[in-house]
Amino acid sequence: MGLFKSFKGDHPDTIGSESSQSYTPGTGPPPSHRPSNEEHYLPPPGPPPGQSAYLPPPGPPPSHKSGDEPPPYHDWTVVPDTALLPPPPSLGHEASPAGNANLSDADRAHEWCRTYPLLRPYQPAAVHLDAVKSENIELVQPREYQGSLAKTGLGSWKGSTISGGRDACLLSSLPCYFAVPDSPLITEKKKTIYFEVKVLSYGVGRGGDASSLAIGWCALPYPTWRMPGWERGSLAVHGDDGRRYVNDTWGGKDFTGTIHAGQTVGLGMEFSIPDTPPNYGSSPGQTPGLKIDIFFTRDGVKESGWSLHEELDAQNDLGVDGLDGQFDLYAAVGLFGGVEFEINFSSREWLWQPS
């Protein structure tokens, strides 16, 4: 045992005896964590010099004088007047419930329109202006037209197409609206164009479709194997579904009822100076727009209409290019299947009379 003691030495049996040091931690943080000035970071007692208490300065803030009313706040519980908002865009359809052309004809027309852009307007010769003014308007028979067509009087025509005939578009030989001399921005007068079509009878249509027609307006050139309203620079009301088409290659928009045999329908466009002045902050060279309204008549009575510059659906509508008064516009009558009809440009023969 003495040997082990010499190696290990004497040591107490328990920690904390008189022969050992106390391991009680010292007060305060370790030396490496003490602040350099050994002081506590506390604010000095009492308010800052010159103030007896922590009170806000007297009076209102500098931006509000003592006599001012509180700022106005909108009462969001009040329902806004929606009459001040523009009407929502009319919803179009993907296809017509009546007649629809085949896809190959549509693709061919789209490519044709990309190849042949709209013709720029020109100053017409005096003889052309006189012909339109006197309502002596001819019709151009396209090669797709299958049937008969004859002039029966000044500005009056009668025709018929064969049963099962394909789409064909008759066009006036001269514009009814000349963009250069007729623009209200030049004449400072309203310009109205209009004509009527009477359906005498319907025969057999193409395939399983009923025969029908469409009445409209077109800028040239236009693919004459397509109904008006289906391609750029055109608008029309179609008789088989009663829908209106504006540069619309799909299914049109709900508008009126179908056009029946024995009825006379008309389509007009009114060009006028807009009620509000043009935006002079627009980019240089931008032509100010015209106010353009389209109206539809049935048996001499105005039935419905729309504004060309109505709110459009940004995703589906293709705009109004070619129809905004910057291009010449021609009368257009689209036909398919067997249809017997009369077309009148002579105001003396119209059932509807301008007021």
Side-chain angles (χ1 to χ4, degrees), residues 64-194:
H64 291 81
K65 297 181 180 179
S66 58
D68 287 350
E69 295 291 332
Y73 292 97
H74 189 279
D75 186 359
W76 294 106
T77 63
V78 178
V79 178
D81 184 4
T82 57
L84 303 177
L85 301 175
S90 300
L91 298 179
H93 298 275
E94 292 185 359
S96 170
N100 291 279
N102 60 58
L103 184 59
S104 62
D105 282 348
D107 291 340
R108 183 162 59 98
H110 300 339
E111 182 61 32
W112 190 91
C113 289
R114 284 190 290 268
T115 304
Y116 302 101
L118 294 176
L119 299 175
R120 302 305 304 177
Y122 64 95
Q123 179 62 43
V127 63
H128 294 159
L129 282 173
D130 291 341
V132 174
K133 187 175 181 180
S134 62
E135 301 172 345
N136 186 19
I137 297 175
E138 305 286 326
L139 286 174
V140 177
Q141 184 173 324
R143 64 180 182 178
E144 296 86 6
Y145 183 86
Q146 297 175 287
S148 63
L149 183 66
K151 189 174 183 179
T152 59
L154 184 68
S156 298
W157 296 78
K158 184 176 181 178
S160 64
T161 54
I162 65 172
S163 296
R166 297 176 65 83
D167 297 351
C169 185
L170 292 172
L171 295 169
S172 60
S173 59
L174 291 172
C176 295
Y177 172 84
F178 291 99
V180 175
D182 289 338
S183 173
L185 298 175
I186 297 174
T187 64
E188 298 184 352
K189 297 179 181 179
K190 183 171 71 173
K191 175 68 177 180
T192 302
I193 56 176
Y194 176 82

Side-chain angles (χ1 to χ4, degrees), residues 30-326:
S32 60
H33 289 76
R34 292 179 181 175
S36 59
N37 55 5
E38 296 290 339
E39 294 180 357
H40 296 289
Y41 293 105
L42 297 176
Q51 293 189 20
S52 58
Y54 294 106
L55 297 176
S63 60
H64 291 81
K65 297 181 180 179
S66 58
D68 287 350
E69 295 291 332
Y73 292 97
H74 189 279
D75 186 359
W76 294 106
T77 63
V78 178
V79 178
D81 184 4
T82 57
L84 303 177
L85 301 175
S90 300
L91 298 179
H93 298 275
E94 292 185 359
S96 170
N100 291 279
N102 60 58
L103 184 59
S104 62
D105 282 348
D107 291 340
R108 183 162 59 98
H110 300 339
E111 182 61 32
W112 190 91
C113 289
R114 284 190 290 268
T115 304
Y116 302 101
L118 294 176
L119 299 175
R120 302 305 304 177
Y122 64 95
Q123 179 62 43
V127 63
H128 294 159
L129 282 173
D130 291 341
V132 174
K133 187 175 181 180
S134 62
E135 301 172 345
N136 186 19
I137 297 175
E138 305 286 326
L139 286 174
V140 177
Q141 184 173 324
R143 64 180 182 178
E144 296 86 6
Y145 183 86
Q146 297 175 287
S148 63
L149 183 66
K151 189 174 183 179
T152 59
L154 184 68
S156 298
W157 296 78
K158 184 176 181 178
S160 64
T161 54
I162 65 172
S163 296
R166 297 176 65 83
D167 297 351
C169 185
L170 292 172
L171 295 169
S172 60
S173 59
L174 291 172
C176 295
Y177 172 84
F178 291 99
V180 175
D182 289 338
S183 173
L185 298 175
I186 297 174
T187 64
E188 298 184 352
K189 297 179 181 179
K190 183 171 71 173
K191 175 68 177 180
T192 302
I193 56 176
Y194 176 82
F195 74 104
E196 289 184 349
V197 177
K198 182 176 182 179
V199 181
L200 300 176
S201 67
Y202 286 130
V204 179
R206 61 185 177 196
D209 294 337
S211 55
S212 191
L213 58 74
I215 180 172
W217 299 97
C218 291
L220 296 189
Y222 192 80
T224 51
W225 65 91
R226 296 284 282 169
M227 300 289 278
W230 280 352
E231 301 299 332
R232 58 94 213 264
S234 70
L235 62 82
V237 176
H238 288 208
D240 58 345
D241 56 17
R243 293 177 179 175
R244 57 182 173 95
Y245 293 75
V246 181
N247 296 352
D248 187 343
T249 192
W250 303 105
K253 296 180 179 180
D254 294 333
F255 180 63
T256 186
T258 57
I259 300 173
H260 301 286
Q263 293 182 334
T264 298
V265 294
L267 192 67
M269 296 182 70
E270 294 179 342
F271 303 82
S272 59
I273 298 175
D275 298 329
T276 56
N279 181 11
Y280 292 102
S282 58
S283 58
Q286 182 177 353
T287 303
L290 290 170
K291 179 184 178 183
I292 303 175
D293 295 309
I294 299 96
F295 64 94
F296 174 79
T297 69
R298 190 190 301 263
D299 293 331
V301 179
K302 270 191 179 183
E303 187 172 278
S304 190
W306 75 93
S307 170
L308 183 70
H309 297 296
E310 65 182 355
E311 192 80 11
L312 298 178
D313 186 332
Q315 293 183 344
N316 298 316
D317 290 327
L318 300 180
V320 296
D321 292 345
L323 301 167
D324 54 1
Q326 300 186 50

